[in-house]
Amino acid sequence: MHKHYVFGPVTSRRLGISLGVDPIRKHTCTLDCVYCEAGKTGELTCQRQEFAPLEVVQNELTAVLKDSPELDYITFSGTGEPTLYLHLTELACWIKKNYPQYRICLLTNGTLLNDPDVCSVLEYVDLAMPNFDASNDEELAVINRPAAGITVESLARGIRNAARRYPGKLALELFIVPGINDNSESIRRFAEYIKSFEGLHSVQLNTLDRPGVVDWIQPAPAETIRKFIAALEDIVPVEAVGRFRCRSKAFCKNLQFDDDDNRVLALVSRRPATAEDIALLLGLSVEKAREKAELLLKSGKVCAEKMPRGVFYSAV
């Protein structure tokens, strides 16, 4: 069966093994973000549409899920904004009713969460990841290039209401664009907004990892990402992904450490090291050294940065 609306499963750095569902016409979105890996938005709109018959999408999912594949998530995502799909809540409800063993993730830019019909999908979603990339409308215009009527306040209002109504389900994504939304005043405004998002699960910091729509964006340096973490970690758990990876200690729960973990931590506290360096200096296999370093990364005790020679781990 040829599939038009279901893709994968794919391995995601954020979601593990994910089966994608993309019921939107290609490049149809409420934003035209300069960093979008899917390319430039072709149709900029806030008008929700059917796009694909609900039954057709359900049939494609049935064909894939009948064999009970191992999945971490079924994810609403793709080349456009999934909340533009008029039947999204019905589809999520159908998945939960017929395949309750699977968790559902919604990757959204958050622009339509003010619509009660859109927000109702969160009742059936296990994790929603809305974007919040601008601390004022000037940054929004440069980074996200929204459809008419979308403002930072309208975005914040939708996220705020959704987080309160569905606590623990929203993990905010914030894309750092050097020179646009990373100065001290911007970071202060972000912190004030995020304080108001009561019930937020966490914040994920992103920066350029693959080419976007424009060529002037550069990756945020580690020092800038650390500034964001320092400003936000007392408000909500914070995680940086991409070339520079780090977690605030709020993520550390029920993790057990042994002597080798402590030896690795002591080593990278003195100087940054790759898994290969750690293995050589501590007499571990490379696989074991990487496993120990990643556990410390998960706990928020170390950070990691991708460099030409490999991934370097260092103490926070």
Side-chain angles (χ1 to χ4, degrees):
M1 177 184 182
H2 181 70
K3 300 175 185 64
H4 295 277
Y5 308 109
V6 177
F7 62 95
V10 296
T11 301
S12 163
R13 70 184 181 190
R14 295 178 293 184
L15 302 173
I17 301 173
S18 173
L19 181 70
V21 181
D22 183 10
I24 302 300
R25 187 162 52 242
K26 191 174 182 180
H27 301 311
T28 302
C29 195
T30 56
L31 302 177
D32 183 18
C33 298
V34 294
Y35 60 78
C36 185
E37 296 173 1
K40 183 174 176 54
T41 295
E43 183 180 351
L44 188 65
T45 181
C46 290
Q47 183 65 47
R48 303 183 73 210
Q49 301 176 49
E50 181 180 45
F51 292 108
L54 178 61
E55 185 178 356
V56 173
V57 182
Q58 290 172 334
N59 288 342
E60 289 192 12
L61 277 166
T62 298
V64 176
L65 298 178
K66 62 181 175 59
D67 295 325
S68 300
E70 291 189 16
L71 302 172
D72 292 299
Y73 283 99
I74 295 173
T75 304
F76 297 130
S77 64
T79 62
E81 171 50 41
T83 60
L84 285 169
Y85 185 48
L86 202 57
H87 303 306
L88 191 65
T89 298
E90 294 172 79
L91 180 58
C93 177
W94 177 84
I95 293 171
K96 279 298 183 185
K97 180 180 178 180
N98 292 278
Y99 303 96
Q101 69 271 36
Y102 293 118
R103 293 182 295 175
I104 298 175
C105 178
L106 169 64
L107 299 183
T108 174
N109 60 32
T111 52
L112 299 181
L113 290 177
N114 283 303
D115 185 333
D117 290 337
V118 171
C119 199
S120 65
V121 73
L122 298 180
E123 181 178 344
Y124 307 102
V125 164
D126 299 280
L127 175 65
M129 303 184 74
N131 283 82
F132 194 71
D133 306 321
S135 68
N136 61 23
D137 287 335
E138 289 75 17
E139 294 171 4
L140 185 75
V142 174
I143 298 170
N144 303 115
R145 303 186 295 190
I150 297 173
T151 66
V152 167
E153 281 299 326
S154 70
L155 263 165
R157 186 168 59 250
I159 293 169
R160 186 179 298 119
N161 293 339
R164 286 176 179 169
R165 186 175 175 186
Y166 301 100
K169 285 193 173 186
L170 274 71
L172 199 70
E173 291 194 273
L174 194 165
F175 194 98
I176 303 171
V177 181
I180 306 297
N181 66 351
D182 64 339
N183 60 66
S184 297
E185 274 301 298
S186 295
I187 295 173
R188 182 193 62 78
R189 288 191 295 263
F190 276 122
E192 289 302 312
Y193 273 117
I194 289 168
K195 280 180 186 176
S196 74
F197 300 157
E198 298 175 14
L200 197 65
H201 175 273
S202 59
V203 170
Q204 185 179 90
L205 302 173
N206 291 293
T207 191
L208 190 70
D209 195 37
R210 302 174 190 170
V213 177
V214 298
D215 59 7
W216 53 260
I217 307 178
Q218 297 296 316
E223 311 88 79
T224 298
I225 296 172
R226 290 182 192 277
K227 288 179 182 178
F228 273 88
I229 293 174
L232 302 178
E233 64 182 348
D234 290 336
I235 305 169
V236 67
V238 187
E239 179 179 25
V241 299
R243 189 176 69 175
F244 176 80
R245 293 184 294 152
C246 188
R247 276 184 161 184
S248 64
K249 289 184 173 61
F251 277 97
C252 184
K253 293 180 180 178
N254 304 319
L255 296 176
Q256 301 296 318
F257 301 97
D258 59 24
D259 288 342
D260 282 339
D261 299 309
N262 294 327
R263 292 170 65 210
V264 171
L265 181 58
L267 174 63
V268 300
S269 295
R270 293 192 296 272
R271 65 176 186 179
T274 66
E276 290 76 11
D277 296 334
I278 295 168
L280 179 64
L281 293 168
L282 298 184
L284 303 172
S285 68
V286 174
E287 292 75 16
K288 180 64 72 175
R290 184 172 291 110
E291 175 190 319
K292 297 300 182 183
E294 288 293 321
L295 177 66
L296 292 166
L297 178 66
K298 185 177 180 180
S299 74
K301 293 179 181 293
V302 307
C303 56
E305 186 168 6
K306 191 183 298 181
M307 304 291 282
R309 192 165 69 82
V311 175
F312 281 80
Y313 299 92
S314 58
V316 173

